[in-house]
Amino acid sequence: MARATIYSIAERCGVSAATVSRVFNRPELVRESVRERVLRVAAELDYQPSSAARGLVTGRVGLVALLVPDITNPFFPLLVRSVQRTAERAGTSLMLIDAEESAAAEIRLVTKLRGRVDGVIVASPRASAAALREAARGLPCVLVNRTLRELSSVICDNTAALFDAGEHLYELGHRDFALLSGPNASWAAGRRSKAVRRWARGRGVRLAELGPFRSSFKGGRQAGAAFLATDTTAAFAFDDLMACGVIAELAENGVSVPGERSIVGCDDVLLAQTVTPSLSTVTAPLDDLGRTAVEVLIRQIEAPDAEPVAKVLPGVFTRRASTGPLTGAQASA
Amino acid sequence: MARATIYSIAERCGVSAATVSRVFNRPELVRESVRERVLRVAAELDYQPSSAARGLVTGRVGLVALLVPDITNPFFPLLVRSVQRTAERAGTSLMLIDAEESAAAEIRLVTKLRGRVDGVIVASPRASAAALREAARGLPCVLVNRTLRELSSVICDNTAALFDAGEHLYELGHRDFALLSGPNASWAAGRRSKAVRRWARGRGVRLAELGPFRSSFKGGRQAGAAFLATDTTAAFAFDDLMACGVIAELAENGVSVPGERSIVGCDDVLLAQTVTPSLSTVTAPLDDLGRTAVEVLIRQIEAPDAEPVAKVLPGVFTRRASTGPLTGAQASA
DNA sequence: CTGAAAGCGCTAACAC
DNA sequence: GTGTTAGCGCTTTCAG
């Protein structure tokens, strides 16, 4: 048995295909009795509209893409969930694309998207501004955690929260800080580093800049080793994943957290709560981030010529167990 | 400027649309000089074929879906990556769907897929066999980590590896075991419990069955508390996530791992290596699992009437730091 | 309220 | 080798 179409339904109902189509698109235009009959037959036949046919005529395929640089990074699954939930509510599906950490792949993949999806959300892209702009030409696009003139974006601004983190550590007695910076290609890493630097300068404390390190557990181990090699007592890690690596490295060297050293992460991924000690970190509004990105994208799809918009959502400092008071022991270190 | 089509290209090249189409589908049928010219113009115009139009005529949309029960569970991102990589190599894109842990959503979402994708991979479904079979009717489908007559599947068999884990603990001196079982609705949980039971019976050791617990960090905390309430010394956790919760709960109660209690996880997600102590666990061949699932699905799409196949891939026990020798101290506990 | 008819962009016979 | 033609399943005027 071939798949049901509006024609097979129309035939069984003794109406025209146009009427069947209306039942699904403009039901208020169809007489109630007819509508019910059509719906019943459609259900019986397991009818599902062909997205290809519909897309061909409407110019919309009901699909948006979300491109992430690394799906195994715990930051993204939460974003994916929020994006997909919002998309589904808006009646569109989600095509997920993992660039496997390659900037070249990002560009290649975005380029192939034109004609296949209605729009794309590009999360934390590492590719160059020019390449990105070129790849997104003619395709509604919104960036997450990166800004670019001419493209819409929704970012999380952690500046204030990082200040709060700094103040928190300062109040605990810390005076010597380390900045464990993230990948150079990461826009977010640059922003975070800048915020920390600004805070340290304003506060008049010493800040040792270490790195860049990769945003991975391994990168965190290296960062931890570098941190240990300094006589600083508190570190700002680029993100939670890195912070976890730092904690593991310190643990292996018999350095207790927060007894001897304090550390704050960034993002507040699930991992931040499951690691021991749990991470003091900057909580990103992941749900909002994903939802807003989809909303902006859909607006963009509906009005392709509208001006790009740039949304900014603030992060919030969350205190947990990885930050603690400076004890006499290490002050003398 | 409207999007380029095979017609606009044909016009600019002074050939027919069919020729342009051939250049992309059967290039060997087109004279070299013409082909080059068409390709050049297509590139100039940023031409990307409309997947909707192509899908309408070929009946294939170049899209497969992967439905996961919970994208925030660290097991799935790795599977997603492997599936997406294999799919991309086969020239098809991936539509990701997160059921947010709801069996009802699984069914609803799979049902909506007919006509939108060429096939679907359903990972670790919790829905009932009947509902699943019904939802997948007329849609090429392969199950991951669950078997069902009439549907293809690829599963990871951990039986032998769990035996190895048991033997490993036995050799370390453990005689009293706990089984921290996973959700009742999880097919994998049932399989794993059965394997552990079989091993314990064969070995003639005591096995306290605790649970079921949820597959989450929190579920693990509860499991940890239950584990502590027994006088057993080694536990099989349903999966790594749960095992991490157990470790955290023990740590909070001042019970050292593996000093006083040993624990083994299952799956070997990234988390297993980053937790302290690192988890002894059963490593699932995630890459193979995803790759095989896609291969089976594609075969199914190409030959819809072929018999379903059931592939079995073995897990492997990996020893890390969460298992250790039984010390005198706790033998007397 | 409903039907007839055109056409979305592409592929696949079938001619030449 | 290349052009002509006929749809794929659906939406959308336009008539009635």
Side-chain angles (χ1 to χ4, degrees):
Chain A
M1 186 189 87
R3 266 192 46 202
T5 70
I6 53 171
Y7 287 100
S8 53
I9 296 175
E11 203 172 358
R12 292 256 294 223
C13 293
V15 298
S16 77
T19 299
V20 176
S21 173
R22 283 193 198 98
V23 167
F24 294 108
N25 300 294
R26 317 279 314 273
E28 69 281 9
L29 296 184
V30 179
R31 201 196 325 156
E32 166 130 17
S33 63
V34 176
R35 196 194 319 155
E36 278 173 6
R37 197 164 144 54
V38 167
L39 253 15
R40 193 161 40 72
V41 171
E44 264 171 36
L45 264 41
D46 266 343
Y47 171 73
Q48 286 296 129
S50 149
S51 64
R54 175 178 285 174
L56 187 52
V57 36
T58 61
R60 294 263 288 274
V61 293
L63 193 62
V64 298
L66 170 61
L67 182 80
V68 300
D70 176 13
I71 186 65
T72 67
N73 183 314
F75 181 80
F76 296 110
L78 261 18
L79 184 70
V80 170
R81 169 166 285 184
S82 147
V83 165
Q84 125 127 22
R85 185 186 297 161
T86 314
E88 205 204 334
R89 288 210 184 116
T92 145
S93 310
L94 180 68
M95 172 164 158
L96 179 78
I97 307 173
D98 175 16
E100 302 199 21
E101 307 182 64
S102 152
E106 282 174 5
I107 297 306
R108 182 169 50 79
L109 292 164
V110 171
T111 306
K112 286 202 328 193
L113 250 27
R114 205 177 308 120
R116 297 190 50 84
V117 299
D118 298 328
V120 61
I121 297 172
V122 188
S124 313
R126 281 141 162 58
S128 78
L132 225 34
R133 244 188 296 257
E134 163 70 18
R137 202 149 46 97
L139 183 66
C141 173
V142 3
L143 264 27
V144 170
N145 269 353
R146 168 126 172 217
T147 58
L148 220 52
R149 259 176 304 108
E150 301 155 52
L151 287 183
S152 288
S153 59
V154 14
I155 65 167
C156 174
D157 183 3
N158 298 312
T159 310
L162 285 169
F163 271 56
D164 291 344
E167 289 301 309
H168 162 68
L169 290 166
Y170 189 86
E171 281 163 23
L172 290 171
H174 295 273
R175 295 297 179 267
D176 297 292
F177 295 81
L179 168 59
L180 313 176
S181 57
N184 280 332
S186 160
W187 179 88
R191 299 257 308 185
R192 292 174 193 182
S193 293
K194 208 150 95 186
V196 170
R197 262 180 231 126
R198 270 216 296 150
W199 171 78
R201 206 172 322 122
R203 217 344 139 200
V205 296
R206 190 162 70 92
L207 182 69
E209 296 205 18
L210 276 21
F213 303 101
R214 295 194 51 197
S215 164
S216 67
F217 185 74
K218 265 202 176 153
R221 302 283 300 225
Q222 293 163 3
F227 178 30
L228 273 180
T230 70
D231 58 354
T232 59
T233 62
F236 295 90
F238 163 61
D239 66 7
D240 293 340
L241 201 51
M242 186 185 289
C244 286
V246 172
I247 286 179
E249 182 69 19
L250 298 206
E252 198 150 287
N253 285 275
V255 175
S256 87
V257 175
E260 299 175 62
R261 306 245 185 164
S262 284
I263 174 141
V264 318
C266 201
D267 292 340
D268 200 7
V269 298
L270 260 37
L271 192 62
Q273 300 170 55
T274 65
V275 71
T276 307
S278 61
L279 267 182
S280 293
T281 188
V282 173
T283 304
L286 270 168
D287 225 64
D288 262 16
L289 229 42
R291 191 169 40 69
T292 308
V294 173
E295 288 167 358
V296 170
L297 181 61
I298 286 180
R299 216 169 308 149
Q300 198 110 141
I301 291 170
E302 283 168 356
D305 298 321
E307 285 295 297
V309 303
K311 301 263 184 190
V312 179
L313 274 32
V316 173
F317 177 63
T318 300
R319 176 178 184 175
R320 294 214 183 86
S322 67
T323 49
L326 185 57
T327 68
Q330 95 223 78
S332 64
Chain B
M1 183 190 86
R3 265 190 48 202
T5 69
I6 53 172
Y7 288 101
S8 54
I9 296 176
E11 203 171 0
R12 293 254 293 221
C13 292
V15 298
S16 77
T19 299
V20 176
S21 173
R22 283 192 198 99
V23 167
F24 294 106
N25 300 295
R26 317 281 313 275
E28 69 280 8
L29 297 184
V30 179
R31 201 196 328 154
E32 165 129 18
S33 63
V34 177
R35 196 192 321 153
E36 277 173 5
R37 197 165 144 54
V38 167
L39 252 15
R40 194 163 38 72
V41 171
E44 265 170 34
L45 265 40
D46 267 343
Y47 171 73
Q48 285 295 130
S50 150
S51 64
R54 177 177 283 176
L56 188 53
V57 36
T58 61
R60 294 264 287 272
V61 292
L63 193 62
V64 298
L66 170 61
L67 182 80
V68 300
D70 176 14
I71 186 66
T72 67
N73 182 315
F75 181 79
F76 296 110
L78 260 22
L79 184 70
V80 170
R81 170 166 284 185
S82 147
V83 165
Q84 125 127 24
R85 185 185 297 161
T86 314
E88 205 204 336
R89 288 208 184 118
T92 145
S93 310
L94 181 67
M95 173 165 157
L96 179 77
I97 308 173
D98 176 16
E100 302 199 21
E101 306 183 64
S102 151
E106 282 175 5
I107 297 307
R108 182 170 49 79
L109 292 164
V110 170
T111 306
K112 285 203 329 192
L113 250 29
R114 204 178 307 121
R116 297 189 50 84
V117 299
D118 298 329
V120 60
I121 297 172
V122 188
S124 314
R126 281 142 162 58
S128 77
L132 225 36
R133 244 187 296 256
E134 163 70 17
R137 203 148 47 96
L139 183 67
C141 173
V142 3
L143 264 27
V144 171
N145 268 354
R146 167 125 173 218
T147 58
L148 218 54
R149 260 176 304 111
E150 301 155 51
L151 287 183
S152 287
S153 58
V154 14
I155 65 168
C156 173
D157 183 4
N158 298 311
T159 311
L162 285 169
F163 271 55
D164 291 345
E167 289 301 308
H168 162 68
L169 290 166
Y170 189 87
E171 280 163 24
L172 290 170
H174 295 273
R175 294 297 179 268
D176 297 291
F177 296 81
L179 168 59
L180 312 175
S181 58
N184 279 331
S186 161
W187 179 87
R191 300 258 306 186
R192 292 175 193 180
S193 293
K194 208 150 95 186
V196 171
R197 261 181 233 126
R198 271 218 295 151
W199 171 79
R201 205 171 322 122
R203 215 350 136 199
V205 297
R206 191 162 68 92
L207 182 69
E209 296 205 18
L210 277 22
F213 302 102
R214 294 195 51 197
S215 165
S216 68
F217 185 73
K218 267 203 175 151
R221 303 283 300 225
Q222 293 163 1
F227 179 30
L228 273 179
T230 69
D231 59 353
T232 59
T233 61
F236 295 89
F238 163 60
D239 65 9
D240 292 340
L241 200 52
M242 185 185 290
C244 286
V246 171
I247 287 179
E249 182 69 19
L250 299 205
E252 198 150 287
N253 285 275
V255 175
S256 87
V257 174
E260 299 175 62
R261 307 246 185 166
S262 285
I263 174 142
V264 319
C266 201
D267 292 341
D268 200 7
V269 298
L270 259 37
L271 191 62
Q273 300 170 55
T274 65
V275 71
T276 308
S278 61
L279 267 182
S280 292
T281 188
V282 173
T283 305
L286 270 169
D287 224 65
D288 263 17
L289 229 40
R291 190 169 41 69
T292 309
V294 173
E295 288 167 357
V296 169
L297 181 62
I298 286 179
R299 216 169 308 150
Q300 198 109 141
I301 291 170
E302 282 167 358
D305 298 320
E307 286 295 297
V309 303
K311 300 261 186 191
V312 178
L313 273 34
V316 174
F317 176 64
T318 301
R319 175 177 184 175
R320 295 215 182 84
S322 66
T323 48
L326 184 59
T327 67
Q330 97 222 76
S332 65

